[in-house]
Structure formats: C-alpha cells, structure tokens
C-alpha cells in the first residue's frame, strides 16, 4: 500500500459546483496533515493544514479521520481559478521526519 | 520575502556531467528537503535534513548527494548525470518535520 493515496482524477466540474477529494495514508503514527495546491509548472503551495476537529477556510473545508486514516478536502462554489492539482501531504516520523506527498488530483473547473 | 531560493532555474547537462543545485532559505527553518517531480509519479523525496548537521535518505536517493552547509543552505549534487535524472527538482524547508513546508520555484533539469 502506498504511503499516501489520492483519488486518481481528473475532476472536470462546472463553475459553482461542489467537489470533494479524498486521501488515505498508511502510517498511523503520522502527526500532521496538509493540502497543497500546485498550478501547472509551478511549485506546490500550502492550501490549508488539516486538524482533527476539521477546519474551514472560506470555500474550503478539510476533514481528518484518524481511525480510518482518511483525509478529505471539500471545495464549495468552484471558481475557474480553483483549477489546479491538489496534493495530499502527510508527515512521516514526527518532528525529525519528513513530508510525504500523494500524487495529486487534477481539478478543472469549466465555465 | 525571499522564502526559499533555488538556483539555477533551468539546466541542460550531458550524460556524465556533474552539477550542484543550490538552495537557501531565509525563514530560520530547521528542516530542509529535496524532491523530484516526474509526470505521473508525484513528488518524491530524494534527501532531507531534519536539522543542521544531519541528512537522511528519502525514497529515491541513488545518484545524488547532499550537503547541509549551514542552517540556511542545502545543496543537491549529481556526480554523474544520467538521462533518468531529467526531472523538475524542488527544494523545500519547514520549521520542523511535522510542520508545513515552503517550496522554491524549482529547477528544470534535462540530461541528454
């Protein structure tokens, strides 16, 4: 089993749609979880951290289920500018460890 | 705010040539990383440094060496470049291994 697995995508949705991405991770000792966004030919950028209680940032909501080792990202009211690849990221090894990236899910929002 | 700075941005090497990719961060971060990104493979960790003076192998370390020169700088060296090392290389840094990472703009390397 891969350390971090994501929906294969791509997701093609109309503007205004709600879209959800899922991610599972294999290391039950992982402490930190993030969603990153990567635009074509650019570096990944932090979208949001994921907390156990769930967290929301505007149109974006992230959820964590430690028991199932599952992370999700919900985007409401999709905009054309949301088109990008979304990367699920999980910490491996605590404060002396490193970050493991999923392969990403590509989102295309169409007019 | 410079953040994480990588040089060069683009490079073409011939098979067998060597080169060093430079990375520097100005955020006083303890941890630094080198990733490579290939189509369909996602970001794969080459090496990381949890703190000044330490380095550890990641998922794909073969063919690479690293040096954590000081807290700010973490370089990646290809001793004898191979076509399989054609990729986009990203340097990143974080306060600790379990906090969010910030990335440089990447180096597009082609080995012919």
């Amino acid at each position: 089993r891969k350390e971090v697995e994501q929906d294969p995508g791509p997701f093609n949705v109309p503007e205004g749609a709600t879209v959800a991405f899922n991610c599972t991770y294999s290391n039950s000792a992982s402490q930190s979880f993030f969603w990153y966004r990567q635009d074509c030919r650019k570096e990944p950028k932090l979208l949001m951290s994921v907390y156990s209680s769930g967290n929301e940032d505007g149109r974006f909501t992230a959820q964590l289920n430690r028991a199932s080792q599952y992370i999700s990202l919900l985007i409401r009211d999709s905009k054309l500018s949301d088109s990008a690849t979304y990367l699920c990221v999980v910490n491996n090894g605590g404060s002396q460890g490193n970050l493991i990236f999923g392969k990403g899910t590509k989102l295309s929002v169409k007019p | 705010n410079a953040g994480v700075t990588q040089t060069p941005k683009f490079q073409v090497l011939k098979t067998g040539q060597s080169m060093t990719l430079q990375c520097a961060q100005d955020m006083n971060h303890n941890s630094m990383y080198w990733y490579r990104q290939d189509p369909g493979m996602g970001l794969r960790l080459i090496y990381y440094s949890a703190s000044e003076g330490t380095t550890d192998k990641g998922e794909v370390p073969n063919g690479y060496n690293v040096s954590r020169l000081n807290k700010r700088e973490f370089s990646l060296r290809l001793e004898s470049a191979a076509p399989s090392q054609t990729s986009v290389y990203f340097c990143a840094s974080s306060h600790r291994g379990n906090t969010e990472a910030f990335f440089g703009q990447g180096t597009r390397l082609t080995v012919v």
Side-chain angles (χ1 to χ4, degrees):
Chain A
R1 180 181 175 186
K2 298 278 186 193
E3 291 196 68
V4 180
E5 292 197 70
Q6 295 186 240
D7 286 347
F11 285 62
N12 298 305
V13 302
E15 269 188 293
T18 296
V19 61
F21 302 139
N22 302 315
C23 171
T24 57
Y25 61 96
S26 61
N27 185 353
S28 60
S30 295
Q31 298 177 355
S32 308
F33 310 90
F34 309 94
W35 283 102
Y36 276 69
R37 170 193 170 125
Q38 186 173 25
D39 293 292
C40 188
R41 301 177 73 82
K42 298 285 190 181
E43 73 274 21
K45 293 185 178 178
L46 179 69
L47 179 66
M48 58 196 303
S49 301
V50 186
Y51 302 117
S52 296
S53 55
N55 48 300
E56 187 174 310
D57 183 2
R59 297 180 293 108
F60 299 84
T61 300
Q63 297 278 353
L64 168 64
N65 183 323
R66 285 188 184 272
S68 301
Q69 295 179 207
Y70 170 95
I71 305 160
S72 66
L73 176 67
L74 184 75
I75 305 175
R76 291 181 299 277
D77 188 23
S78 299
K79 311 291 185 190
L80 295 175
S81 58
D82 293 334
S83 296
T85 297
Y86 291 83
L87 305 171
C88 176
V89 184
V90 175
N91 157 255
N92 181 28
S95 63
Q96 296 297 304
N98 57 79
L99 297 177
I100 304 298
F101 283 72
K103 292 185 179 180
T105 301
K106 187 173 181 179
L107 172 66
S108 292
V109 181
K110 307 293 186 184
Chain B
N1 288 338
V4 180
T5 304
Q6 282 182 242
T7 55
K9 288 188 169 49
F10 301 93
Q11 184 71 48
V12 179
L13 289 179
K14 293 183 178 179
T15 297
Q17 285 186 317
S18 62
M19 78 163 294
T20 300
L21 280 64
Q22 307 286 353
C23 176
Q25 51 91 8
D26 63 2
M27 295 176 281
N28 200 35
H29 284 167
N30 295 301
S31 299
M32 297 187 73
Y33 315 86
W34 277 105
Y35 291 89
R36 61 176 288 174
Q37 187 172 37
D38 303 291
M41 300 298 293
L43 280 156
R44 292 183 292 170
L45 184 65
I46 304 172
Y47 272 92
Y48 69 101
S49 171
S51 59
E52 188 178 353
T54 68
T55 60
D56 285 285
K57 295 179 180 180
E59 182 184 355
V60 289
N62 291 344
Y64 305 95
N65 286 301
V66 290
S67 295
R68 183 75 182 265
L69 304 169
N70 47 55
K71 192 171 186 179
R72 289 187 64 247
E73 298 173 285
F74 188 40
S75 62
L76 178 72
R77 183 161 178 82
L78 287 69
E79 290 291 351
S80 179
S84 60
Q85 294 177 306
T86 293
S87 187
V88 180
Y89 292 84
F90 287 104
C91 177
S93 71
S94 64
H95 180 54
R96 294 187 305 272
N98 55 356
T99 59
E100 64 268 26
F102 297 85
F103 282 79
Q105 292 184 310
T107 298
R108 297 188 179 276
L109 175 67
T110 302
V111 183
V112 297

